[in-house]
Structure formats: structure tokens, C-alpha cells
Amino acid sequence: MAYQNIIVETENRIGIIEINRPKKLNALNQDTITELHQAFDLLDKDSETRAIIITGSGEKAFVAGADISEFADFGPDKGRELSLQGQQKLFDFVENLGTPVIAAINGFALGGGLELAMACHIRVASNSARMGLPEVSLGLIPGYGGTQRLPQLVGKGKAFEMIMTAGMIRSEDALKSGLVNHLTEPDDLIEFSYQLAEKILANSSQAIKAAIGAVNAGFKDGTDGFKKEIELFGSCFGTEDFEEGTTAFLEKRKPNF
Ligand code: COA
């Protein structure tokens, strides 16, 4: 598939998506959001791809936000549509993908960029990265899930502070507050993210998909996460991976998923 704004590669069952608009600090315009949707969808449907890493090209930015030039003249209806479309196509889509997604945050992750990183299942940041939700400085609020996912990750008080001040935090603060899982030196970011993905690869992809569904269910209004866990736990017993995993344990060998 030919893309204009992203680069997609697969190596050893790990897909890597690089957002490639470095002159615009990888800002998310509509075309990039559409291409990201297509790339995530294709990688998820490819049974050979078992984990995905997303990062930004260049040294400066993961993603410096939604592309402000695209919505500067919007009114309320178009604004609502922008948020709805973006959430459906990319942010909710990534969060609910059956394939685990790691955000490798290589620089500025602002606005929609931090929202994209927060929609991923795991976040690793370079120690040079800066993160924030600056939307109120533009007269907006985060519209790609930031008001919901930031409090889930860092707690309500810290989220309010970040949103209200529109400030950027350093990666050490992001680690302390639980916004990111790990910090690395800039040059080690991708290698570290690969190693993390490889640990995931050793396990059952069918069980990981079920775990993503169960964990996410607890954060959905009107869904009983415990009930969802019971249902998904049960469904695991019908998978080939369950048969292989338990057989391998009893035969004292490593499972071959
Ligand atoms: N949307 C559109 N273009 C953006 C962008 C965004 N979110 N973020 C950066 N760019 C563009 C700049 O307009 C500039 O383009 P130009 O060279 O054609 O003028 C280019 O990327 C480089 O950015 P610049 O601002 O010159 O870099 P800097 O090092 O001085 O500042 C930032 C870096 C990240 C602090 C600054 O770009 C910024 O504040 N960006 C907007 C962040 C934001 O508010 N995001 C939330 C959007 S809802």
C-alpha cells in the first residue's frame, strides 16, 4: 500500500508505523489520520503481525498535535464531526485493536499526538520527549479522547492541571505520573520498544486480544468489565492457543504460539 504521510514496515512479526511529516512536526491532518487507520487495520488483519510500534519521524516530534491549519475556520458542527470522525477512525480504533500497540514517543507529543499515544496500549518515551494537551491555549478542549484517557492514566487532579495550564511536562514527570511506562535514551527508544514487543510475542495473541477487550471494558460506560472478563476468559478455553499453552506446560516445554 502506498502512503504519503506514513511509512509502514514489518520486521520479525512486529509492524512499525512512522508518521512522516517532519516539516510539520508530524501534525495529524485528515489524510494522515485516514492512512493511519488503513495501516493499523491492515496490520491487525495480517495474522503474521503480532505487535505494532508507532513513532514519529525526525528527532523533534512524535506528533505536535492535530493539524491546526485544517480546522482554524470550523464552526461547532464541523468541530463535532472532526472529533467524532477522528475518534472513530483512529483513537478508539487503536485502543480497541486486538493487536497490541506500543507508542514510541520520540519528541513532542502534544494535543492529538499525546491523545494518540494515550490510545496505544503501552507508552515508551525518549528522555528528551515533552508531553502536553495545549488545546485550551487555542480556545478548545482535547477532542480526540484526551479528557477521558488522561485522567485514567494520571488521575483527575494531575489531568486537570495539565489540561488547564496547557503546559508541557518532561518525560521524567510523565514516568512518575504513570503517563508513560518507560523512559530510554533517544537512540535506544526503538530498540527498547522492539524488545518489549518481543516479550509480548512470546505469548498467546488470542489471549492478548481477549485481555485488551477485558481491560478496555472496565473503562466503557454501561459495560460491566467483570462480566466481560468472565465471557472472554471462557472463550479462551476454546482457542488453539489454550490447547498449546496448557499442553506445553504439562510437557515441560515452551509453547509455540
Ligand atoms: N498543526 C499544524 N502545523 C504545526 C503544528 C500543528 N499542531 N505543530 C507544528 N506545526 C508546524 C508549524 O506551523 C511549522 O510550520 P512552518 O515551518 O510551515 O511554519 C512547523 O510545524 C515547525 O513548527 P515550529 O512552531 O516552527 O517549531 P518550534 O520548534 O518553534 O515549536 C512546538 C515547536 C511544538 C512548540 C510548536 O510547533 C507548537 O506549539 N505546535 C502546536 C502545538 C499544539 O498546540 N498542538 C495542539 C493542536 S490541537
Side-chain angles (χ1 to χ4, degrees), residues 152-222:
Q152 287 168 7
L153 288 165
V154 305
K156 199 170 163 186
K158 179 82 183 165
F160 267 137
E161 183 180 332
M162 284 180 68
I163 291 169
M164 288 176 185
T165 62
M168 291 185 212
I169 62 167
R170 293 183 179 277
S171 37
E172 299 86 52
D173 282 342
L175 181 69
K176 264 188 231 152
S177 58
L179 182 53
V180 302
N181 301 49
H182 300 279
L183 288 193
T184 72
E185 292 295 324
D187 288 347
D188 299 336
L189 178 69
I190 298 301
E191 180 55 29
F192 184 93
S193 303
Y194 262 104
Q195 285 171 10
L196 192 55
E198 273 165 1
K199 283 186 192 165
I200 295 171
L201 251 55
N203 300 311
S204 157
S205 58
Q206 290 170 323
I208 285 167
K209 183 176 179 175
I212 290 171
V215 171
N216 283 344
F219 293 93
K220 281 199 182 94
D221 264 357

Side-chain angles (χ1 to χ4, degrees), residues 76-91:
D77 289 342
K78 283 175 107 176
R80 205 170 291 115
E81 193 55 26
L82 180 77
S83 173
L84 177 69
Q85 289 290 326
Q87 295 203 18
Q88 285 176 345
K89 253 199 226 170
L90 184 59
F91 300 83

Side-chain angles (χ1 to χ4, degrees), residues 6-254:
I6 62 175
I7 299 167
V8 183
E9 285 168 0
T10 308
E11 197 185 312
N12 300 330
R13 300 191 295 169
I14 299 167
I16 178 146
I17 302 176
E18 192 174 308
I19 301 169
N20 188 33
R21 298 183 77 213
K23 287 189 181 146
K24 294 290 171 191
L25 302 187
N26 302 323
L28 293 178
N29 60 2
Q30 289 308 300
D31 287 348
T32 307
I33 288 180
T34 301
E35 289 188 5
L36 285 169
H37 172 84
Q38 289 166 346
F40 277 114
D41 194 31
L42 286 175
L43 289 170
D44 186 51
K45 284 179 177 148
D46 172 16
S47 58
E48 283 298 300
T49 304
R50 303 271 297 274
I52 300 170
I53 295 170
I54 179 161
T55 193
S57 70
E59 285 171 6
K60 206 166 161 182
F62 173 70
V63 170
D67 192 321
I68 298 166
S69 65
E70 276 193 342
F71 59 74
D73 61 351
F74 278 15
D77 289 342
K78 283 175 107 176
R80 205 170 291 115
E81 193 55 26
L82 180 77
S83 173
L84 177 69
Q85 289 290 326
Q87 295 203 18
Q88 285 176 345
K89 253 199 226 170
L90 184 59
F91 300 83
D92 285 357
F93 190 73
V94 168
E95 184 173 66
N96 294 302
L97 212 66
T99 308
V101 184
I102 299 172
I105 306 170
N106 55 309
F108 287 118
L110 302 175
L114 182 56
E115 290 172 299
L116 178 57
M118 291 193 293
C120 297
H121 305 114
I122 296 173
R123 282 152 294 285
V124 181
S126 146
N127 55 23
S128 62
R130 300 279 194 88
M131 286 156 251
L133 292 180
E135 285 85 350
V136 297
S137 72
L138 298 165
L140 291 173
I141 63 167
Y144 286 149
T147 64
Q148 305 305 299
R149 294 193 182 99
L150 187 63
Q152 287 168 7
L153 288 165
V154 305
K156 199 170 163 186
K158 179 82 183 165
F160 267 137
E161 183 180 332
M162 284 180 68
I163 291 169
M164 288 176 185
T165 62
M168 291 185 212
I169 62 167
R170 293 183 179 277
S171 37
E172 299 86 52
D173 282 342
L175 181 69
K176 264 188 231 152
S177 58
L179 182 53
V180 302
N181 301 49
H182 300 279
L183 288 193
T184 72
E185 292 295 324
D187 288 347
D188 299 336
L189 178 69
I190 298 301
E191 180 55 29
F192 184 93
S193 303
Y194 262 104
Q195 285 171 10
L196 192 55
E198 273 165 1
K199 283 186 192 165
I200 295 171
L201 251 55
N203 300 311
S204 157
S205 58
Q206 290 170 323
I208 285 167
K209 183 176 179 175
I212 290 171
V215 171
N216 283 344
F219 293 93
K220 281 199 182 94
D221 264 357
T223 305
D224 182 334
F226 288 96
K227 269 197 188 144
K228 188 76 184 167
E229 184 186 271
I230 292 167
E231 182 198 313
L232 287 166
F233 177 76
S235 73
C236 287
F237 285 76
T239 64
E240 291 161 16
D241 281 1
F242 168 70
E243 203 177 319
E244 169 61 10
T246 47
T247 306
F249 179 81
L250 295 172
E251 291 176 356
K252 300 191 186 302
R253 60 171 174 86
K254 283 207 165 142

